[in-house]
Amino acid sequence: MNNWLLLIFLLLSPAACLLAQEETYAPYGGPFTPAGDLHMLVVLAGFENDCAPDRPEYNHNFWPQEDGQNPACQSAFDGIEELFYSTSDQFSPDAKDLSISNFFYQSSRNSPSSKPFRVTADIFPERINIDGNRPNNKKVFEAIEEKYPDFDWSRYDNRTNNPQFTFDNSTSDPDNIIDYIVVIWRRPGLSGYASTSNYTFNQDSKDTSNIYKVASKSGFTIDGSLFNLTGIKQIFLHELSHSLYNCPHLFGVNGVCGSYFHATNGWGMMKFGEITSTPNAWESWYNGWIDLPKNRDLKDISDNGTYILDDFMNTGDAMRIKIPYTDDQYLWLENHTGENIFDQRTNLLQDANENHIPKMEHGLLMYVENLTDSRNTLIKALSSDYANGIKAMHAEGNYDYKIHDYKKAPEIWDNMVADFSIAAPNPTGAHNHITFIRHDFGLDSNESKIVYRDFTNNRCQNSDCKSNEHTPVWKRDGVFTFDNLGINMAFGNKSYEQKIGLSHNPHIVNLQRYDKASQTSEPVILHSLSVNVHPKLPDGRIKVDIKFDDNTITQNQRFTGNLLLPEKGNLNASLHIQPRKKLRIEKSGTPDRHTKGKVLENGSTEFPDFTNPSILTLSEGSHLIIDNKAKLIIKKGSTLNIEKGATLEIKEKGKLIVENGAYINIQQGANINANNIQQLRLGTYATAGINPLLKHNTEAGLSIKEIKKVFY
């Protein structure tokens, strides 16, 4: 049962996704406020018919039926005592254990509320076994009531339940509803769902103070647990995230892509332990564990400057930066120094052959977030508006990839593994070393397609249900590199400065929603935000230069995809190609659609490599400068579209080159500033107008003859 790719199937009750009608505030939490002291109850459950020694999982190495301490079939899983503190006096800022109690305390001890979240728990005194082979929490509660009629439930009722994001219940009064209860079933797999079952203990009691209820939303169920201790922590934090703040599936969990076409690996409560074992700064902010002062919440050019980031976990320091021309998308920066015990990978420390897997080098982690910028907005767990709404960046940049083989690898627990190699830098592309690489791996043998599902929770009901077709980068050039686990992804570890932006790899690419019908994604915005990362300081802090007006191409660059140049605003230009530099617009080598399109008369297909043509659109109000001896080159199959009100300025000896098989579309009312026709090199077989393969509602512009006249 050590297949790391085993999916966590999650069922959320519809009620868990309903929003309160009152004014809401995310840090108040759904079932409880993640601040102050919370004492929860954990109940272990199993099945009577699994208690025979000849049952297949009787001697499971993680949770055997005989653990040497308890009677047979009353066992607990290995390391259960390491999950929680039992009393509040065990918390310490210097604690080095990896318990869930310490996780929440370390994550929240810098809370602006001055009330760190201190979770303690008791394990119910007896494992409850029921008949049958399907989890049934109600039967477990009935058995508890029968066997323990005088059980002291008051220990687990210290708050008024279910604030549903409308009030702070961290200092509220008991209400005879158990604050939080988790049921863990001894059952194969690693799975759960974000609810328990409603139940009332002692409901026939004449003493109403002795009547205690279990509210389904005030807890969750782990219905598959025969895995390992880290797996239990993963599923615990995962399900609690669904329950606590309606967290959607992020970072490729359950194979989810939501309304996007690509997904990256990442970290946080939804994806604990694979890259690092901390929360991410967005969820820390959303849960109220950190705040963002003005110098950590940058919006526009007035915030240009140099900033120094301290250790994220130990100080709560983090930064978010508004990505220009987006609807509230942000670039987040977190400095992970490794000083905190959770700032490390705790899962997948060895491969299947027990060989050591290298760990991530600590440094500055960055990601683009498109969830919400307001803690008054409640997100939804099962909504395509939020699923997969964070994309991690990699310090080595974005690339196209080639695939040499795809076969089972004993080193990765006999999972199917591709051998990749880097094909070409692709700064505006979607693939980097921690991306789940899109390709037609033959998952659906009946059709030549990349399986795409915009689901928000992978709940396959039949054998025809296929997950999204993508795979991690475990291997490159014949060597197991384990890139998907964050190897070398952190910035600030070089002896030189590392910059991201228009002239570099990667560009800060906004999250692009994917339209399944047209098989096109929203544009990559060629904005002028850049981040320059200095080598880390001797004390581990990292200095960054932030610029919102970095609009220049200072080295030869290649852009692919659906590209949009926005209006210039207060800048001198939207984009300025510096003297003697080249910008190529060409076809991507990264799939960005899920079918090959129609079959043509010659037997080929419209999109044989699952890639749409590239298009650069100069939008109304934009201004592109091609400087002296600089070149903008539109490669074969790509399109330059200059809209009405856009400006293309070609300075002396600058050139616009539209190659054979490329397209140029200049709408009436576009502004072309050039000295002479020599600055336009139009291929004999270049075409005026929009590439018919592009699914864009763009009006056709000037003819070839008219275009040439523009350049006189």
Side-chain angles (χ1 to χ4, degrees):
M1 198 56 63
N2 52 2
N3 185 339
W4 81 273
L5 285 175
L6 189 62
L7 294 177
I8 303 169
F9 292 130
L10 309 169
L11 293 175
L12 280 79
S13 65
C17 299
L18 296 178
L19 304 185
Q21 299 302 308
E22 306 170 59
E23 185 175 354
T24 54
Y25 185 57
Y28 289 157
F32 58 78
T33 302
D37 291 354
L38 178 73
H39 192 59
M40 63 174 64
L41 179 65
V42 176
V43 177
L44 304 184
F47 304 99
E48 293 173 351
N49 61 4
D50 279 341
C51 290
D54 61 348
R55 297 290 292 178
E57 304 288 354
Y58 189 87
N59 291 312
H60 191 277
N61 60 349
F62 173 59
W63 192 346
Q65 292 285 26
E66 298 182 51
D67 61 6
Q69 299 179 23
N70 300 287
C73 299
Q74 285 294 314
S75 61
F77 53 81
D78 186 31
I80 190 171
E81 69 282 353
E82 300 174 25
L83 284 184
F84 297 100
Y85 299 162
S86 57
T87 60
S88 58
D89 60 4
Q90 294 174 263
F91 290 96
S92 166
D94 300 321
K96 300 299 182 184
D97 63 272
L98 292 169
S99 66
I100 291 173
S101 295
N102 198 31
F103 171 87
F104 283 115
Y105 178 72
Q106 295 292 335
S107 302
S108 62
R109 63 186 173 90
N110 297 295
S111 169
S113 71
S114 299
K115 293 190 296 183
F117 187 34
R118 306 197 307 177
V119 177
T120 54
D122 289 336
I123 310 300
F124 193 78
E126 177 184 344
R127 192 180 103 192
I128 304 299
N129 296 316
I130 64 169
D131 58 358
N133 56 14
R134 296 179 64 86
N136 186 322
N137 291 338
K138 185 177 180 182
K139 280 189 175 182
V140 170
F141 298 150
E142 288 174 345
I144 288 174
E145 184 169 23
E146 180 180 350
K147 293 184 176 183
Y148 295 85
D150 299 320
F151 188 74
D152 183 10
W153 294 106
S154 67
R155 287 175 46 78
Y156 313 103
D157 175 29
N158 300 291
R159 301 184 177 197
T160 300
N161 274 52
N162 294 322
Q164 285 302 294
F165 308 100
T166 59
F167 65 93
D168 181 351
N169 86 331
S170 62
T171 56
S172 58
D173 296 325
D175 59 358
N176 284 78
I177 300 175
I178 298 167
D179 291 336
Y180 210 71
I181 187 168
V182 178
V183 182
I184 303 178
W185 289 86
R186 186 187 182 279
R187 191 166 177 252
L190 183 64
S191 58
Y193 50 91
S195 63
T196 56
S197 298
N198 292 318
Y199 193 79
T200 302
F201 291 100
N202 307 318
Q203 60 180 328
D204 297 328
S205 173
K206 295 180 180 180
D207 180 5
T208 57
S209 66
N210 194 40
I211 298 175
Y212 285 89
K213 296 182 178 180
V214 176
S216 176
K217 291 183 291 184
S218 293
F220 63 84
T221 305
I222 298 178
D223 66 350
S225 60
L226 295 185
F227 205 74
N228 57 38
L229 191 63
T230 299
I232 293 291
K233 292 177 184 177
Q234 285 179 312
I235 193 69
F236 190 99
L237 294 171
H238 180 116
E239 296 301 341
L240 190 136
S241 299
H242 285 314
S243 173
L244 175 61
Y245 62 100
N246 295 340
C247 186
H249 290 105
L250 303 172
F251 294 126
V253 169
N254 287 21
V256 166
C257 282
S259 60
Y260 306 100
F261 193 65
H262 302 91
T264 68
N265 202 0
W267 63 99
M269 290 169 63
M270 187 55 51
K271 197 69 178 287
F272 171 84
E274 282 192 15
I275 289 179
T276 186
S277 302
T278 72
N280 60 63
W282 177 85
E283 65 190 355
S284 294
W285 164 80
Y286 195 65
N287 282 304
W289 299 334
I290 65 171
D291 273 344
L292 294 170
K294 187 179 186 305
N295 69 342
R296 290 296 185 264
D297 194 11
L298 311 188
K299 304 286 188 182
D300 53 40
I301 195 172
S302 66
D303 294 316
N304 279 7
T306 298
Y307 301 84
I308 295 179
L309 283 156
D310 214 329
D311 179 81
F312 165 59
M313 273 298 281
N314 283 344
T315 70
D317 194 13
M319 178 180 286
R320 73 174 181 182
I321 308 167
K322 176 75 164 58
I323 298 178
Y325 304 101
T326 65
D327 294 331
D328 300 323
Q329 292 193 33
Y330 288 83
L331 175 69
W332 286 79
L333 280 60
E334 306 172 10
N335 183 11
H336 290 254
T337 68
E339 292 179 6
N340 192 279
I341 187 63
F342 286 97
D343 215 345
Q344 61 176 308
R345 187 186 329 127
T346 54
N347 189 28
L348 297 171
L349 303 179
Q350 296 178 324
D351 67 14
N353 293 335
E354 298 187 351
N355 294 313
H356 172 72
I357 297 176
K359 291 190 176 181
M360 179 195 75
E361 194 173 5
H362 292 101
L364 189 68
L365 298 183
M366 300 194 209
Y367 51 93
V368 176
E369 169 262 317
N370 188 27
L371 295 169
T372 178
D373 67 342
S374 171
R375 292 192 287 208
N376 295 111
T377 299
L378 299 188
I379 59 177
K380 299 180 182 179
L382 298 183
S383 168
S384 59
D385 290 337
Y386 301 103
N388 194 29
I390 301 182
K391 175 179 63 178
M393 299 181 68
H394 198 291
E396 293 186 356
N398 296 342
Y399 293 89
D400 295 327
Y401 290 79
K402 289 182 179 178
I403 299 174
H404 301 292
D405 62 33
Y406 184 60
K407 60 187 179 182
K408 283 188 176 183
E411 297 87 346
I412 313 297
W413 299 277
D414 272 339
N415 284 288
M416 296 296 293
V417 170
D419 184 11
F420 295 101
S421 65
I422 292 174
N426 192 349
T428 57
H431 282 173
N432 60 45
H433 295 341
I434 57 168
T435 306
F436 299 95
I437 304 295
R438 282 290 201 178
H439 181 73
D440 180 14
F441 293 104
L443 183 60
D444 191 324
S445 59
N446 296 322
E447 295 185 64
S448 180
K449 70 178 183 181
I450 297 174
V451 177
Y452 170 73
R453 295 186 62 207
D454 56 357
F455 56 73
T456 58
N457 183 27
N458 187 14
R459 189 61 184 174
C460 289
Q461 302 292 344
N462 54 63
S463 60
D464 294 329
C465 179
K466 303 285 194 309
S467 179
N468 275 302
E469 196 167 8
H470 54 200
T471 192
V473 182
W474 292 111
K475 187 178 184 181
R476 281 194 290 128
D477 299 317
V479 177
F480 281 94
T481 54
F482 304 99
D483 291 299
N484 192 58
L485 299 179
I487 313 301
N488 297 324
M489 72 173 290
F491 295 79
N493 290 312
K494 304 296 185 182
S495 59
Y496 50 84
E497 297 174 6
Q498 296 170 279
K499 193 171 183 181
I500 57 175
L502 285 170
S503 279
H504 303 273
N505 187 17
H507 175 53
I508 304 167
V509 180
N510 52 294
L511 279 157
Q512 308 159 257
R513 296 192 185 276
Y514 179 71
D515 182 76
K516 186 163 54 175
S518 67
Q519 300 196 56
T520 59
S521 294
E522 293 176 328
V524 172
I525 300 171
L526 301 179
H527 56 79
S528 53
L529 172 64
S530 72
V531 178
N532 185 44
V533 184
H534 294 255
K536 64 176 62 171
L537 298 170
D539 60 3
R541 294 182 302 159
I542 292 181
K543 181 166 67 173
V544 295
D545 306 317
I546 310 296
K547 295 184 69 175
F548 284 84
D549 55 355
D550 195 350
N551 62 348
T552 57
I553 298 291
T554 59
Q555 56 187 4
N556 294 340
Q557 189 67 302
R558 171 193 184 231
F559 286 165
T560 72
N562 180 12
L563 308 164
L564 178 68
L565 191 67
E567 61 181 355
K568 70 174 185 177
N570 295 324
L571 304 180
N572 67 313
S574 306
L575 182 63
H576 186 167
I577 307 174
Q578 293 282 291
R580 294 181 170 82
K581 303 306 175 188
K582 299 176 184 178
L583 172 59
R584 304 189 335 263
I585 307 301
E586 68 180 25
K587 187 176 183 179
S588 176
T590 295
D592 60 3
R593 56 179 292 123
H594 64 279
T595 74
K596 293 185 175 183
K598 295 183 296 185
V599 178
L600 305 177
E601 291 182 1
N602 62 5
S604 64
T605 52
E606 293 177 297
F607 309 98
D609 46 9
F610 301 97
T611 307
N612 288 302
S614 291
I615 176 173
L616 170 61
T617 297
L618 277 55
S619 65
E620 184 175 1
S622 66
H623 186 173
L624 172 60
I625 297 175
I626 305 174
D627 214 323
N628 182 41
K629 295 186 179 179
K631 295 177 182 178
L632 173 61
I633 305 170
I634 312 302
K635 303 291 286 184
K636 179 181 178 180
S638 299
T639 296
L640 173 63
N641 180 44
I642 308 176
E643 293 185 342
K644 175 183 177 181
T647 298
L648 174 63
E649 179 180 353
I650 309 177
K651 295 195 173 182
E652 186 177 0
K653 296 185 180 179
K655 278 188 171 61
L656 169 63
I657 300 172
V658 183
E659 293 189 346
N660 285 337
Y663 296 78
I664 179 171
N665 187 51
I666 303 177
Q667 296 182 15
Q668 295 283 353
N671 303 304
I672 310 296
N673 300 330
N675 292 322
N676 57 68
I677 191 63
Q678 303 304 318
Q679 294 180 279
L680 172 66
R681 188 184 299 168
L682 194 62
T684 305
Y685 300 103
T687 304
I690 284 290
N691 184 341
L693 292 176
L694 291 168
K695 305 294 192 295
H696 293 278
N697 296 320
T698 305
E699 64 182 61
L702 306 176
S703 67
I704 292 287
K705 185 177 181 180
E706 291 170 323
I707 288 173
K708 288 184 176 180
K709 285 183 179 180
V710 169
F711 284 84
Y712 279 109

